[in-house]
Amino acid sequence: MEAQMKDCSENPIIISDMGTEGLLSHYQFEDGSSQFIFLDIDKETGGISINNPLSFTAGSYVQIISSSEGLLLLSSTGENQLNYLVFNPLTKQSVTLPQHGIARLIIRSGLAFDGKHYQVVLVHVSRDEENGLGPLPGDIELEVFSSETGAWRNHRPFSLSLNVELPDNEFPELNTTPLFSNGAIHWEISGQLLVYHVEDDYCEVIELPNVFEDWSWQSTMTYRRCLWESEGRVHYTYTDFDGVHSWNLLKEDEHNVYSHQNVYDREKFRWALAYTINHEDLAEQDPDILSLGDQWEPRNISPIAYVQDSETMYLQLPGIVVAYNTKNRVLLKVCRYTFPGVDFNCCSFFPSIHRSECHKQNASKSRVGEVVDLPVGEVVDSFSF
């Protein structure tokens, strides 16, 4: 499990050399099968191309939870229990984690990989059994699995104030994908950012820029969000009725840098607005896109990722993914996807770090203006986790 790659033929599950930025598409079908399609991002043009060698299909109701430096954290349903797996799409090897024994409500999961060892972290809370409701406030615990020890351990944060307000039926596809950045896993929970610093083994809570009093309703009905990293800084991007807003999480030495541009309480608010993309600006770039959604309602616009080299923000709309250059304000369609019949459930996109060095002969250079059609049912490799 801890082997490191010496050449492309050794097929270890863990690879010490980090990969490059890309996207991962997850087709979910009603029969429980899934299709995972990896997309390489051209840093110069902002276009994308399909990475066939990494793509695969799977059954057993496999869900993607998060990715970290080339590894995926997946879950699958089997024998009336939820299994957690760490999967390397390059080597096609996976490890099923031992059962954790948690009887409480698991509300978030995440993966941290430093190139040598990985850790899987489960966030769980007590249920309000007396009233038949969801989690009780302020009762957060973590269960941490380490590939170095091969075992789970419990971590209970002290002096942690987190108001867990989840909807009665929380849809996984509406959750914000966790981000591993700067040695910490970041989760969005009830309008707050829960940050677990892996190496130092402690948690902190940061209020998000778009926090609302009734987050359980707001998060499912209106806003789509994503977390991403650029130049070593965590970014939080969300949509609302005005547009797409992206914020930078400030570090301690950055407060003075941004204080003359932004008015905020530095003790409570730790964000600086990077930019806002108005819906009107997007519509002017391509009026035809309006017909794909419902007049740019926020629930139809999902920010996926941002690539610093090309200064490009990727947005998912019904049936299409667009790339918007935040510098020259040019919008391009880069990927189409379809809804193949009544058996189709959903199609989600995630930011991904993956390696393509072993498959350069299969890679295609994306051209400006080229639109990629995602294949359905054409991926050869199939796995039953």
Side-chain angles (χ1 to χ4, degrees):
M1 186 75 182
E2 309 302 339
Q4 296 184 6
M5 188 181 73
K6 297 180 180 179
D7 59 57
C8 292
S9 63
E10 288 192 356
N11 264 358
I13 187 171
I14 287 185
I15 298 174
S16 59
D17 189 15
M18 304 306 180
T20 57
E21 292 177 289
L23 301 177
L24 172 58
S25 168
H26 177 203
Y27 275 90
Q28 179 77 55
F29 297 93
E30 292 288 351
D31 64 357
S33 62
S34 295
Q35 187 170 18
F36 297 87
I37 302 174
F38 284 83
L39 305 170
D40 293 333
I41 291 178
D42 190 311
K43 292 184 178 181
E44 297 176 2
T45 68
I48 63 174
S49 57
I50 297 175
N51 190 318
N52 287 312
L54 294 186
S55 303
F56 64 96
T57 59
S60 304
Y61 294 92
V62 172
Q63 296 285 341
I64 179 171
I65 298 174
S66 65
S67 64
S68 180
E69 304 297 351
L71 297 183
L72 300 179
L73 176 61
L74 306 173
S75 66
S76 68
T77 304
E79 298 182 359
N80 299 319
Q81 65 183 13
L82 189 66
N83 298 316
Y84 290 93
L85 310 99
V86 176
F87 179 71
N88 186 332
L90 177 60
T91 65
K92 298 297 190 294
Q93 293 182 345
S94 67
V95 168
T96 301
L97 304 188
Q99 285 299 305
H100 47 70
I102 299 175
R104 304 183 351 144
L105 179 64
I106 299 175
I107 59 173
R108 293 292 185 269
S109 310
L111 174 67
F113 177 44
D114 61 7
K116 184 178 181 181
H117 304 291
Y118 66 81
Q119 296 192 51
V120 174
V121 184
L122 308 181
V123 182
H124 53 104
V125 296
S126 293
R127 303 172 186 265
D128 189 353
E129 301 288 356
E130 180 178 348
N131 299 309
L133 300 176
L136 293 170
D139 187 25
I140 294 290
E141 288 190 36
L142 306 181
E143 208 74 16
V144 183
F145 176 86
S146 170
S147 64
E148 190 172 12
T149 64
W152 294 94
R153 65 177 178 85
N154 181 268
H155 172 69
R156 186 179 181 88
F158 294 99
S159 304
L160 184 66
S161 176
L162 179 62
N163 180 27
V164 179
E165 184 183 1
L166 303 177
D168 293 335
N169 296 303
E170 190 175 32
F171 300 100
E173 59 268 21
L174 295 180
N175 287 343
T176 303
T177 305
L179 171 70
F180 178 64
S181 173
N182 297 314
I185 303 177
H186 301 71
W187 294 278
E188 178 200 63
I189 304 178
S190 304
Q192 301 166 91
L193 193 67
L194 174 62
V195 184
Y196 173 60
H197 298 268
V198 177
E199 192 68 27
D200 296 325
D201 197 27
Y202 80 94
C203 292
E204 62 176 322
V205 176
I206 303 170
E207 184 177 288
L208 290 171
N210 63 332
V211 63
F212 285 88
E213 184 176 349
D214 188 4
W215 182 260
S216 63
W217 174 87
Q218 199 76 29
S219 64
T220 57
M221 297 300 293
T222 306
Y223 298 98
R224 307 300 294 272
R225 301 87 61 199
C226 74
L227 290 162
W228 47 277
E229 177 188 352
S230 179
E231 296 183 333
R233 184 182 292 125
V234 172
H235 297 251
Y236 176 70
T237 304
Y238 65 91
T239 60
D240 62 15
F241 286 98
D242 295 323
V244 181
H245 313 278
S246 191
W247 296 76
N248 301 332
L249 181 61
L250 297 175
K251 301 177 182 179
E252 286 298 325
D253 59 349
E254 292 177 327
H255 283 277
N256 294 332
V257 175
Y258 288 98
S259 60
H260 68 285
Q261 298 176 348
N262 300 273
V263 179
Y264 59 88
D265 180 355
R266 68 175 59 194
E267 295 298 326
K268 181 180 179 181
F269 193 76
R270 294 175 52 184
W271 302 88
L273 182 63
Y275 57 82
T276 290
I277 307 171
N278 295 321
H279 294 323
E280 293 79 5
D281 295 338
L282 294 174
E284 287 178 1
Q285 291 290 327
D286 194 336
D288 293 337
I289 292 183
L290 284 174
S291 62
L292 300 175
D294 186 8
Q295 296 298 308
W296 287 103
E297 285 200 20
R299 66 172 180 269
N300 290 329
I301 306 173
S302 300
I304 307 170
Y306 180 86
V307 176
Q308 183 66 39
D309 292 340
S310 59
E311 299 184 68
T312 301
M313 169 64 66
Y314 292 87
L315 305 170
Q316 180 186 1
L317 288 87
I320 199 162
V321 174
V322 299
Y324 182 79
N325 188 294
T326 58
K327 183 177 182 180
N328 58 31
R329 298 184 178 181
V330 173
L331 182 145
L332 295 173
K333 299 176 183 178
V334 295
C335 176
R336 282 186 296 259
Y337 61 97
T338 59
F339 301 91
V342 295
D343 293 332
F344 181 73
N345 191 351
C346 66
C347 181
S348 304
F349 290 84
F350 307 88
S352 173
I353 301 293
H354 54 264
R355 287 178 52 91
S356 301
E357 284 83 351
C358 297
H359 311 294
K360 286 184 178 179
Q361 67 274 19
N362 299 316
S364 59
K365 181 80 170 180
S366 59
R367 297 186 295 271
V368 177
E370 181 180 15
V371 183
V372 173
D373 290 302
L374 289 190
V376 180
E378 298 181 15
V379 178
V380 177
D381 289 332
S382 179
F383 297 90
S384 180
F385 294 103

